[in-house]
Amino acid sequence: MTPRLERPTTAQSPPPDDGAARRTLDGRAAQERQNDGAARERPGGTRYRQRELRRTALATLLATLIIPVAVGIAANGAATAGRWWDTTDRWLSPAQSLLGAALLLMVAGLAAYEPAAAVIAGLVWGALPAAVQIVAPGQTYRLISSLPGLPTDLARALHTWLSSGVVLLIGVLLVGAGIAVALLRRRLLG
């Protein structure tokens, strides 16, 4: 008779070490995720960043175009509101002020979609004109009135808003809205 190979019983054999294999696989996966920062943060990597860059550029362009229109409409409404005796401007002036405020609210709401858009547009249309006003206060009216197609009354209203700090205030509020949304997103994402 040939000797039978003895098989160890389950009581005699050590249990398989599945934990070591899992730790090795988990370690490799963690290392791969750490090496690829884009994959760790968001799925899609490069394509996601390109899409995010396009979204930021589009939102910034939109905000940068809306702000001067909103400020112009609101400033014109405020300037014509002083002529209360003119019955044609009686309802048009408050409507213009409300429309300008609604457009500015839309830009502030755009900060929820893309915070950088409100920050950049607020700097361009708030800090930059204020810096020009501080550096060359005598030249700002000439710069404003040289814009083609701008009526004289509107040029005066815009200069008044610029020299009194209203434009700077609008820009600072939009920058603050963008920063607040960005900080809130960072806090919520962890």
Side-chain angles (χ1 to χ4, degrees):
M1 269 186 111
T2 60
R4 188 168 39 140
L5 291 174
E6 291 186 24
R7 292 185 193 166
T9 62
T10 56
Q12 294 173 342
S13 65
D17 188 17
D18 290 338
R22 285 186 195 141
R23 283 191 298 271
T24 304
L25 290 175
D26 290 343
R28 286 183 196 152
Q31 182 66 30
E32 288 175 9
R33 283 192 305 267
Q34 189 174 13
N35 289 342
D36 185 20
R40 184 178 47 136
E41 292 175 13
R42 302 253 202 270
T46 305
R47 279 187 277 164
Y48 176 80
R49 287 187 181 159
Q50 289 173 347
R51 189 173 61 232
E52 190 176 67
L53 185 62
R54 280 194 300 261
R55 182 178 80 175
T56 302
L58 181 65
T60 303
L61 178 67
L62 187 63
T64 307
L65 292 175
I66 291 174
I67 289 176
V69 173
V71 169
I73 291 171
N76 191 47
T80 57
R83 296 187 299 228
W84 57 270
W85 59 88
D86 190 358
T87 57
T88 59
D89 289 338
R90 183 171 183 189
W91 297 109
L92 183 62
S93 297
Q96 286 178 344
S97 296
L98 287 174
L99 179 61
L103 289 172
L104 288 172
L105 182 62
M106 187 169 49
V107 173
L110 193 59
Y113 178 69
E114 187 57 51
V119 171
I120 293 169
L123 288 173
V124 167
W125 290 110
L128 188 63
V132 171
Q133 173 65 25
I134 290 169
V135 171
Q139 303 298 321
T140 54
Y141 182 74
R142 191 174 332 175
L143 287 170
I144 292 171
S145 63
S146 68
L147 294 172
L150 196 65
T152 307
D153 289 344
L154 183 55
R156 283 190 201 120
L158 287 173
H159 183 260
T160 301
W161 274 36
L162 182 62
S163 61
S164 65
V166 174
V167 174
L168 177 63
L169 180 68
I170 290 170
V172 168
L173 288 174
L174 290 173
V175 168
I179 290 172
V181 169
L183 291 175
L184 183 63
R185 278 188 183 177
R186 177 172 284 173
R187 181 176 168 212
L188 291 177
L189 292 177

